[in-house]
Amino acid sequence: MSAARQVDVAIIGAGPAGLAAGAAARNEGAERVVVFERDWEPGGILQQCIHPGFGLHTFGEELTGPEYAHRYLTRVREAGVEFSLNTMVFQMDKPVLKDGRKTVTFWTMQPERGIEQIEAKSLVLAMGCRERPAGALGVAGSRPSGVYTAGTAQRFVNMEGFMPGTKVVIMGTGDIGLIMARRMLLEGAEVVGVFEIMPWVSGLRRNIAQCLDDFGIPYYLNHSVCELRGRGRLEGVGVVEVGPDRQPIPGSDKFVTCDTLLLAVGLIPENELSRMAGIAIEPITGGPIVNEWMQTSEDCVFAAGNVVVVYDLVDFVSREGERAGKYAARYAMGRLENAKREFKIVPENNVRVVSPQTLTGEDDVTVYLRVGSPVESKCRLYAEPGLFSQRLRYARPGEMNEIKLSASQLKSLASDVTRITVGLEVL
Amino acid sequence: MSCVKKFLCVSCPVGCSLSVTVEGAEVLSVEGNTCPLGEKYARSEVANPVRTFTSTVRVNGGLLPLCPTRSKTPLPLSKVFDVAREVAQLTVDAPIEIGATLIKNVCGTGSDIVASRSLPRKHRDSRELENSA
């Protein structure tokens, strides 16, 4: 076996999180920062998201996905980040102690270089997420062609020049599905309707307004697609209304003719490599447990973006990517000391998703959280003991909320405090 | 007679619910916005709703068969289908630079259609591509 290629900070994934991590790691002073990307170009899913709405926070104007990627790539190249494109990371070891410090080893596959072993002083996981597929839903009926995830259809229509079909039904109200409803319509397809099993919309409300309402596309809450019909090609779907228990209401089923079904039913952080490395995964988010340095359960491994928790805005992904890159660089340079304390953030009262899940209290931090069910009245977001309180006009699962905590606040907590509870109280 | 119109502001991801009191074509008041963009959006929505339009055009000899495009400025919502049809007719040659104007004053809207990414020509050798990245 030939010697492993040495890298200071390795980053897996050249999407928005990986790009931000790369630039930040270089700017923090790390020497060899390499981003490994399986696609032929950096940018990740941004390249297929040709709609506007990106970058309001980061660049102060509304950009399309490719424009956001372009701007960010300029920054990244100026910072001196190396790219290894067309490169698949397929195997990763649990980090081991070597010369008194932890290092991580993984294997890549690339057309010209073949299989290569990489050894990194620190690593940023930035693999993003994937879409929940048809197989995960257990819809009855035949298995015809014409069933796609919304993101796959998006890549076909926006990058590869294929139209998935002519008469479309969309299952779920995730943002990608709503955006694809508009996109398919503008490309000449008929969009019959959007069916959501929950009593609320899971995407951003602005996407209901500008993707469905603008074009008169109907959507139905408390409805689910329960059957696929068709031999060879999809001929239609069975749709049923569901009760509060999400079980079908007898007699409410109807048949909807269509040749294409797009699924927008949720995103799952992509953590196969993280699991191989023995990283602790949080069951609710599906991503690694991280502290405010974006450090995982293995000291030398950091994580950022949708691999940790599915964000609603790319600007947040970039911000957390920068954080991961910065601390990964410090770790690689031997400048990140072990935390003296650890606070565990415990969600309660309708708060379901929290990231990060632990804090060292050494730095200012933004804690992201999502509620489990919508609250359409005045409510109060809080972090106890006595750290944060904010009144909100509403809280919806589709939109992330932020709690900002400062290091000085955390340092002033009594030494026996190890838990911080965050929750949402209806007023 | 004044009446109240309800809009959802799409200026940013917050998505404020706006209540707009209008009399004829005149906006008397805007409520529910949490920033100045909301007021601007409400006034525009009453007078003439506009949206940023995005689509793709076919590309000859490009690394990808399509190049994403956008309207440089928001254009009237009522013209979106006309614009979509006109953009669908267009085929351009690679290479394309991000920001390049592809259609001037599309459908008389006063807005241009511009490329929203750079697209190089198709390379024979993938190594050439990697070196340029």
Side-chain angles (χ1 to χ4, degrees):
Chain A
M1 190 88 194
S2 59
R5 182 174 158 201
Q6 304 291 323
V7 165
D8 290 324
V9 180
I11 295 161
I12 302 178
L19 292 179
R26 280 286 300 162
N27 292 339
E28 193 66 19
E31 280 290 317
R32 297 211 60 198
V33 177
V34 186
V35 182
F36 297 87
E37 166 60 46
R38 63 188 171 193
D39 206 347
W40 59 269
E41 68 173 345
I45 297 303
L46 283 169
Q47 300 290 12
Q48 71 183 52
C49 296
I50 66 164
H51 55 277
F54 299 89
L56 268 171
H57 295 270
T58 312
F59 297 107
E61 57 182 302
E62 201 176 44
L63 305 171
T64 67
E67 288 171 335
Y68 186 96
H70 180 86
R71 294 254 183 122
Y72 227 100
L73 268 168
T74 310
R75 283 188 184 181
V76 172
R77 293 207 170 106
E78 278 167 8
V81 175
E82 290 171 57
F83 283 98
S84 181
L85 300 174
N86 291 313
T87 307
M88 185 78 192
V89 179
F90 67 94
Q91 175 71 46
M92 187 174 283
D93 286 351
K94 196 171 162 58
V96 289
L97 272 175
K98 195 180 163 188
D99 306 329
R101 59 185 299 153
K102 282 220 169 166
T103 43
V104 59
T105 304
F106 59 91
W107 278 263
T108 62
M109 211 185 311
Q110 201 267 354
E112 274 97 33
R113 306 172 77 110
I115 288 176
E116 221 178 348
Q117 188 183 5
I118 316 281
E119 200 175 275
K121 289 179 182 163
S122 69
L123 173 73
V124 179
L125 304 167
M127 292 88 76
C129 59
R130 66 162 77 109
E131 298 176 280
R132 184 166 289 133
L137 299 170
V139 179
S142 53
R143 288 291 177 262
S145 64
V147 181
Y148 303 90
T149 58
T152 300
Q154 189 178 43
R155 188 167 174 109
F156 284 169
V157 175
N158 292 348
M159 292 183 78
E160 306 198 357
F162 305 119
M163 267 297 272
T166 58
K167 194 168 170 139
V168 185
V169 164
I170 294 169
M171 180 177 183
T173 47
D175 288 311
I176 318 163
L178 301 177
I179 281 160
M180 280 312 291
R182 172 177 65 183
R183 189 75 189 106
M184 293 294 284
L185 186 79
L186 287 173
E187 283 296 315
E190 182 190 345
V191 182
V192 185
V194 178
F195 298 91
E196 167 63 56
I197 192 168
M198 302 303 281
W200 59 77
V201 169
S202 72
L204 297 173
R205 286 200 321 157
R206 72 191 298 245
N207 284 332
I208 295 283
Q210 64 183 350
C211 298
L212 303 187
D213 296 348
D214 271 3
F215 300 101
I217 299 170
Y219 65 99
Y220 307 87
L221 302 177
N222 296 310
H223 277 73
S224 185
V225 173
C226 57
E227 188 198 349
L228 307 178
R229 209 180 290 174
R231 296 267 168 247
R233 181 76 192 190
L234 187 68
E235 286 159 15
V237 295
V239 170
V240 71
E241 193 175 345
V242 300
D245 55 357
R246 278 191 261 159
Q247 294 304 309
I249 295 173
S252 68
D253 56 306
K254 60 178 180 183
F255 183 73
V256 179
T257 307
C258 63
D259 60 18
T260 306
L261 176 69
L262 300 187
L263 304 171
V265 289
L267 301 168
I268 305 157
E270 189 161 331
N271 278 293
E272 282 69 23
L273 291 170
S274 322
R275 286 199 182 85
M276 285 184 199
I279 306 288
I281 302 286
E282 214 265 331
I284 290 181
T285 57
I289 295 172
V290 291
N291 63 20
E292 77 268 41
W293 297 334
M294 306 311 285
Q295 190 175 32
T296 68
S297 59
E298 289 289 347
D299 292 352
C300 60
V301 180
F302 297 74
N306 285 357
V307 83
V308 177
V309 62
V310 176
Y311 289 85
D312 45 1
L313 296 184
V314 71
D315 302 80
F316 298 157
V317 169
S318 293
R319 191 159 80 190
E320 297 310 293
E322 277 169 26
R323 193 183 278 275
K326 176 176 157 183
Y327 289 98
R330 286 193 187 177
Y331 187 91
M333 294 184 292
R335 283 186 14 220
L336 190 66
E337 283 177 31
N338 285 338
K340 291 168 200 76
R341 293 182 74 172
E342 185 181 276
F343 299 99
K344 193 167 164 38
I345 304 185
V346 182
E348 60 179 23
N349 280 351
N350 195 14
V351 170
R352 185 169 151 80
V353 171
V354 177
S355 176
Q357 298 88 4
T358 67
L359 300 178
T360 67
E362 299 286 329
D363 279 285
D364 296 349
V365 60
T366 303
V367 177
Y368 296 90
L369 46 88
R370 275 183 201 279
V371 294
S373 60
V375 177
E376 295 292 346
S377 61
K378 284 203 175 98
C379 47
R380 185 179 77 94
L381 191 60
Y382 63 83
E384 300 288 354
L387 294 166
F388 182 94
S389 178
Q390 186 187 15
R391 278 167 174 259
L392 302 173
R393 291 191 297 179
Y394 58 82
R396 303 188 182 114
E399 296 160 30
M400 272 183 143
N401 288 95
E402 297 174 67
I403 287 183
K404 289 188 194 308
L405 303 176
S406 70
S408 59
Q409 266 182 310
L410 294 165
K411 281 184 174 150
S412 68
L413 288 175
S415 58
D416 61 336
V417 175
T418 55
R419 284 160 58 97
I420 295 168
T421 50
V422 293
L424 186 87
E425 175 184 59
V426 179
L427 295 175
Chain B
M1 250 324 262
S2 67
C3 69
V4 177
K5 291 189 175 180
K6 301 264 184 199
F7 298 121
L8 188 100
C9 179
V10 299
S11 303
C12 86
V14 174
C16 297
S17 301
L18 308 176
S19 296
V20 189
T21 314
V22 287
E23 192 166 322
E26 194 191 351
V27 176
L28 299 179
S29 70
V30 179
E31 280 171 49
N33 55 314
T34 47
C35 84
L37 287 177
E39 166 128 13
K40 204 176 144 200
Y41 178 79
R43 291 183 181 279
S44 148
E45 206 59 11
V46 170
N48 178 25
V50 292
R51 301 285 184 270
T52 300
F53 173 82
T54 62
S55 185
T56 54
V57 295
R58 276 187 289 268
V59 179
N60 283 327
L63 209 48
L64 292 169
L66 298 175
C67 180
T69 60
R70 64 173 292 174
S71 62
K72 203 168 179 183
T73 52
L75 47 81
L77 182 56
S78 58
K79 293 265 191 169
V80 158
F81 281 101
D82 298 341
V83 172
R85 243 171 260 129
E86 185 157 338
V87 171
Q89 302 300 316
L90 185 66
T91 302
V92 297
D93 293 322
I96 299 161
E97 269 304 302
I98 187 167
T101 302
L102 305 179
I103 304 175
K104 269 195 129 34
N105 188 17
V106 63
C107 297
T109 57
S111 184
D112 297 341
I113 296 294
V114 298
S116 61
R117 71 165 282 164
S118 298
L119 194 61
R121 256 191 282 270
K122 197 173 205 157
H123 294 251
R124 284 219 194 92
D125 188 343
S126 67
R127 267 169 296 189
E128 223 180 302
L129 173 71
E130 200 184 340
N131 293 336
S132 72

